Amino acid sequence: MRSKQIIKKLCEFCGNEFEAGRLTTRYCSHKCNSRAFREIKRKEVVQLTGELTKQKKTERTKVDIANRPDLGISEAAELFGVSRWTIYRYVSSGMIPSKRLSKRTTRIRKSDLESFFDKAEPYEIDQISKEIKPITDWYTFNEVTEKYGILRHQIRKIVNAENIPEKKDGTRTLVAKRQIDNYFKKKGFDSSVINLAEWYTVSEIMEKYNMTEKGVYVFVSRYKIPKKQQGGKRYYSKQHIDNLKNEMQ
């Protein structure tokens, strides 16, 4: 469509300002139009030539790799179609034998690569059951506190961070027992702590061993004394504290 008024535009080839009679006009003259067309075609040829050169170089590299008895890290990675770091891990772990000729030169025999490939286990898709087992066992927050010796706000942080299932039972919040137990098992929780019979409060430790409150907390933290939370109070293992104090005398 022809515009009713003259539009001032900049030529996309030479950059000069000109008066255009159409909204779609891009160049100031037929000369600039022709030169722009030739420039576009030239860039297409350059891009195509670069892609063909890269393709031929890759093909020559593959032929070269196929005819050589030993390869570098990058060449081995290209042969296997994996990253250089994957080959580094195999080499550093001893899974693929190699020779280090210099600080930056590592060579791998192709026969060792082929042997490694032949010994690799075949890929199998894990058959994961889509059936979701219902959760039947639950903890209340108080039960977690008494068993693992942590405060309620710490339980909430764990539940949120680990996406542990939870549900409401009236006014109580219940959390999945199996997932809670697995979390503390991974954290190295000692289940034998549950069976400890005797416990000290902080005030009892202070009185028996003539310690300050700060000294008690430093002591139980330094020696990782087993603890539990019950009835809103913190208790520490009597057996562990007494044994340590006897050894220090």
Side-chain angles (χ1 to χ4, degrees):
M1 177 184 293
R2 191 173 184 83
S3 176
K4 296 181 179 179
Q5 62 182 20
I6 300 299
I7 301 172
K8 290 189 176 182
K9 302 184 70 174
L10 294 178
C11 177
E12 293 184 15
F13 183 77
C14 67
N16 293 330
E17 185 178 357
F18 69 99
E19 294 181 349
R22 294 178 180 274
L23 294 173
T24 55
T25 304
R26 301 173 56 190
Y27 307 104
C28 62
S29 63
H30 178 71
K31 184 177 181 180
C32 282
N33 193 349
S34 299
R35 289 182 175 180
F37 178 78
R38 289 196 296 269
E39 181 65 18
I40 292 172
K41 291 299 179 182
R42 187 188 69 80
K43 289 181 179 180
E44 290 177 354
V45 171
V46 170
Q47 182 179 357
L48 180 60
T49 302
E51 292 174 354
L52 291 174
T53 302
K54 184 177 180 180
Q55 181 179 351
K56 290 180 179 179
K57 184 178 179 181
T58 301
E59 292 173 354
R60 284 198 303 270
T61 302
K62 289 181 178 179
V63 172
D64 184 44
I65 290 175
N67 295 331
R68 284 167 47 194
D70 58 86
L71 305 172
I73 295 292
S74 298
E75 294 165 335
E78 185 174 347
L79 182 65
F80 270 16
V82 297
S83 70
R84 294 172 67 249
W85 296 112
T86 299
I87 298 298
Y88 270 125
R89 286 198 299 271
Y90 290 147
V91 168
S92 61
S93 65
M95 297 174 68
I96 298 179
S98 64
K99 295 290 184 181
R100 191 168 187 178
L101 304 182
S102 67
K103 188 175 181 180
R104 294 188 176 183
T105 304
T106 300
R107 309 302 294 177
I108 305 171
R109 283 195 295 261
K110 190 185 296 181
S111 58
D112 289 330
L113 285 170
E114 293 171 349
S115 176
F116 171 76
F117 182 81
D118 292 338
K119 293 177 182 177
E121 296 181 0
Y123 176 77
E124 295 181 359
I125 300 176
D126 294 333
Q127 298 297 324
I128 301 175
S129 174
K130 294 183 179 180
E131 181 182 356
I132 300 176
K133 295 182 180 180
I135 300 173
T136 56
D137 296 323
W138 302 84
Y139 281 131
T140 64
F141 272 41
N142 287 339
E143 289 172 336
V144 179
T145 293
E146 292 179 6
K147 183 172 182 178
Y148 293 107
I150 62 173
L151 301 176
R152 293 178 65 88
H153 73 274
Q154 294 173 314
I155 301 172
R156 170 51 59 194
K157 287 182 179 179
I158 293 170
V159 170
N160 292 344
E162 301 294 323
N163 292 320
I164 294 175
E166 58 182 301
K167 70 174 184 178
K168 281 287 186 181
D169 179 24
T171 58
R172 300 185 307 170
T173 299
L174 305 180
V175 290
K177 183 176 181 180
R178 181 170 61 85
Q179 284 85 341
I180 287 287
D181 290 340
N182 287 341
Y183 171 82
F184 283 99
K185 184 178 180 180
K186 288 188 293 184
K187 293 296 182 180
F189 178 78
D190 185 0
S191 59
S192 64
V193 171
I194 301 173
N195 299 321
L196 292 174
E198 298 181 272
W199 302 84
Y200 280 134
T201 63
V202 173
S203 59
E204 288 172 338
I205 301 171
M206 292 169 60
E207 182 179 352
K208 181 169 184 177
Y209 291 106
N210 194 25
M211 300 172 67
T212 64
E213 184 176 1
K214 181 178 180 181
V216 171
Y217 286 121
V218 170
F219 177 80
V220 296
S221 175
R222 177 182 298 170
Y223 294 103
K224 295 182 171 56
I225 303 297
K227 60 187 176 181
K228 72 173 184 177
Q229 190 83 13
Q230 189 172 10
K233 290 185 177 181
R234 180 69 59 84
Y235 296 86
Y236 295 92
S237 166
K238 183 178 186 298
Q239 175 187 331
H240 288 75
I241 292 175
D242 290 344
N243 288 344
L244 277 169
K245 286 296 184 180
N246 290 335
E247 291 174 3
M248 292 177 181
Q249 290 178 356

